[in-house]
């Protein structure tokens, strides 16, 4: 029931997923049973792989996430996350309230052993492929150790899901020199430099698109501002280019000639192609999709979830966190 166009686009995405993802065994659609069934019928999305799970409540975008999860026990995101907790499912996907998704995963699934805070890994395309920005909004007030773990978890995801042999990790700052930034970023820099990560140092905003990077770490406040600024810039540029192309007959002709190249370039920076952002660090896979997700975007979010399951991201994160922080893994003595 989450997202700007729910439940239509979510069910459209589910239909695409069962048609195009052969390894998908079962897909549970959680929400208002009558509304979901009506939309399934309208889109001819009936499938043996699709099952409806009723939920009578929805977390609205304006609600306090943690309070809503605790108060609305039968909300769609709470029920869906519960399916992962009880082992019915291996992953949950939502295009609804991001804070509610994070709260549900944190409260119901808890963090993986050794993980202090979960972080959202949002894909950002650049000249060299795909870079994941961690954290993109789950933890606005982070500690330096949290960012170290973001680097570890982001590297695990890049290595096992994206196939990067030695993921390159950068720290978002205001300059590339080692001493640049705030006291906080300098503390993070020292931790990353002393780690076993392939840390290339501080990076600036333009490096997100120009430099060969696999993971960029920052606190959730900075990451969310960066992510939304990038999205808004891409949207504005697309609109302005279209407006300029239509101003004169000659430009219209030229626009027609470059239209295929323009569409290809836009697809590289479209969130629809990447689907969703994994919440790294929780004891169960949670994929957060864009609120404005189309059916294609929802399908790709489901694909990202399936890839995370098949590549066993969680166990690999536990292993790498344990290597970096062995003392935290020792059982307490009472």
């Amino acid at each position: 029931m989450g997202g700007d166009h729910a439940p239509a686009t979510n069910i459209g995405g589910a239909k695409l997923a069962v048609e195009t993802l052969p390894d998908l065994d079962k897909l549970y659609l959680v929400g208002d049973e009558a509304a979901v069934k009506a939309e399934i019928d309208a889109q001819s999305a009936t499938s043996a792989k699709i099952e409806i799970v009723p939920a009578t409540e929805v977390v609205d975008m304006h609600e306090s996430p943690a309070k809503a999860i605790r108060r609305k026990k039968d909300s769609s995101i709470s029920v869906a996350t519960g399916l992962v907790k009880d082992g019915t499912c291996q992953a949950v996907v939502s295009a609804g309230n991001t804070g509610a998704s994070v709260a549900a995963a944190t409260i119901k699934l808890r963090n993986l052993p050794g993980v202090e805070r979960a972080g959202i890994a949002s894909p950002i395309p650049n000249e060299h492929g795909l870079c994941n920005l961690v954290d993109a909004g789950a933890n606005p007030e982070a500690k330096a150790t949290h960012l170290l773990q973001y680097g570890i978890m982001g590297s695990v995801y890049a290595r096992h899901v994206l196939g990067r042999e030695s993921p390159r990790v950068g720290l978002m700052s205001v300059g590339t020199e080692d001493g640049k930034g705030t006291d906080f970023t300098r503390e993070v820099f020292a931790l990353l430099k002393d780690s076993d990560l392939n840390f290339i140092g501080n990076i600036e905003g333009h490096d997100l698109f120009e430099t060969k990077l696999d993971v960029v770490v920052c606190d959730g406040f900075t990451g969310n501002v960066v992510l939304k600024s990038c999205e808004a810039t891409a949207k504005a540029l697309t609109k302005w280019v279209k407006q300029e192309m239509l101003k004169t007959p000659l430009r219209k002709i030229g626009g027609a000639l470059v239209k295929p190249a323009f569409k290809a370039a836009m697809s590289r920076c479209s969130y629809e192609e990447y689907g969703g952002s994994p919440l790294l660090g929780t004891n169960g896979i949670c994929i957060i999709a864009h609120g404005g997700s189309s059916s294609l975007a929802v399908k790709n979010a489901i694909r990202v979830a399936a890839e995370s399951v098949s590549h066993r991201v969680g166990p690999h994160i536990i292993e790498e966190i344990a290597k970096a922080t062995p003392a935290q893994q020792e059982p307490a003595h009472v």
Side-chain angles (χ1 to χ4, degrees):
M1 305 305 293
D4 299 342
H5 312 292
T9 53
N10 293 332
I11 291 168
K15 180 182 179 181
L16 288 173
V18 297
E19 290 173 348
T20 61
L21 303 177
D23 293 333
L24 185 67
D25 293 328
K26 195 79 173 179
L27 196 58
Y28 295 88
L29 300 179
V30 184
D32 181 285
E33 187 171 14
V36 173
K37 189 178 186 307
E39 192 61 40
I40 287 176
D41 292 341
Q43 297 193 38
S44 300
T46 302
S47 168
K49 291 186 175 184
I50 290 178
E51 182 176 327
I52 300 173
V53 176
T56 60
E57 298 174 297
V58 176
V59 176
D60 296 325
M61 295 303 293
H62 68 276
E63 292 186 82
S64 168
K67 289 181 180 179
I69 293 300
R70 289 188 170 94
R71 189 175 67 253
K72 292 185 172 181
K73 303 294 186 182
D74 203 43
S75 66
S76 55
I77 185 60
S78 186
V79 173
T81 306
L83 294 176
V84 178
K85 180 181 179 180
D86 67 22
T88 301
C89 295
Q90 293 169 288
V92 57
V93 177
S94 175
N97 186 313
T98 297
S101 293
V102 173
T106 303
I107 293 170
K108 287 180 170 290
L109 305 179
R110 304 296 182 183
N111 288 343
L112 292 167
V115 174
E116 296 179 20
R117 291 289 188 277
I120 299 172
S122 285
I124 295 181
N126 66 18
E127 291 182 10
H128 305 276
L130 199 64
C131 169
N132 275 298
L133 181 70
V134 191
D135 170 32
N139 186 23
E141 298 180 1
K143 297 179 181 179
T145 52
H146 299 163
L147 269 68
L148 171 61
Q149 293 194 344
Y150 294 160
I152 294 170
M153 295 189 292
S155 293
V156 166
Y157 187 81
R159 185 180 303 114
H160 292 282
V161 178
L162 303 180
R164 310 293 165 77
E165 185 175 343
S166 181
R168 291 164 58 86
V169 180
L171 171 63
M172 181 62 70
S173 189
V174 294
T176 57
E177 296 85 359
D178 291 6
K180 285 285 189 177
T182 63
D183 290 343
F184 173 69
T185 55
R186 285 192 290 270
E187 182 183 359
V188 176
F189 184 98
L191 290 175
L192 291 169
K193 189 174 182 179
D194 289 342
S195 73
D196 292 330
L197 297 171
N198 184 13
F199 179 52
I200 67 167
N202 288 328
I203 62 109
E204 298 176 283
H206 64 84
D207 290 304
L208 283 171
F209 306 99
E210 300 173 354
T211 302
K212 190 174 183 181
L213 290 161
D214 300 299
V215 182
V216 171
V217 298
C218 59
D219 63 88
F221 181 88
T222 301
N224 197 255
V225 170
V226 168
L227 180 65
K228 289 180 178 176
S229 296
C230 291
E231 289 178 349
T233 300
K235 187 175 181 179
L237 283 174
T238 301
K239 179 180 177 181
W240 296 340
V241 169
K242 287 181 178 178
Q243 288 175 342
E244 293 298 325
M245 280 183 174
L246 298 174
K247 278 191 173 180
T248 67
L250 187 59
R251 285 187 183 182
K252 288 180 181 179
I253 295 172
L257 294 174
V258 301
K259 187 176 180 179
F262 181 70
K263 288 183 67 176
M266 289 303 99
S267 68
R268 289 181 60 181
C269 60
S270 172
Y271 67 84
E272 289 186 320
E273 298 297 324
Y274 306 107
S277 302
L279 179 64
L280 301 178
T282 54
N283 189 24
I285 293 167
C286 174
I287 305 298
I288 298 171
H290 196 287
S293 288
S294 64
S295 293
L296 175 61
V298 172
K299 186 270 288 188
N300 281 324
I302 296 168
R303 172 185 55 77
V304 171
E307 290 171 349
S308 296
V309 171
S310 64
H311 291 288
R312 303 182 72 249
V313 171
H316 288 303
I317 286 176
I318 294 173
E319 180 182 354
E320 294 302 318
I321 292 290
K323 287 180 183 177
T325 54
Q328 295 182 20
Q329 309 305 309
E330 297 176 1
H333 298 283
V334 179

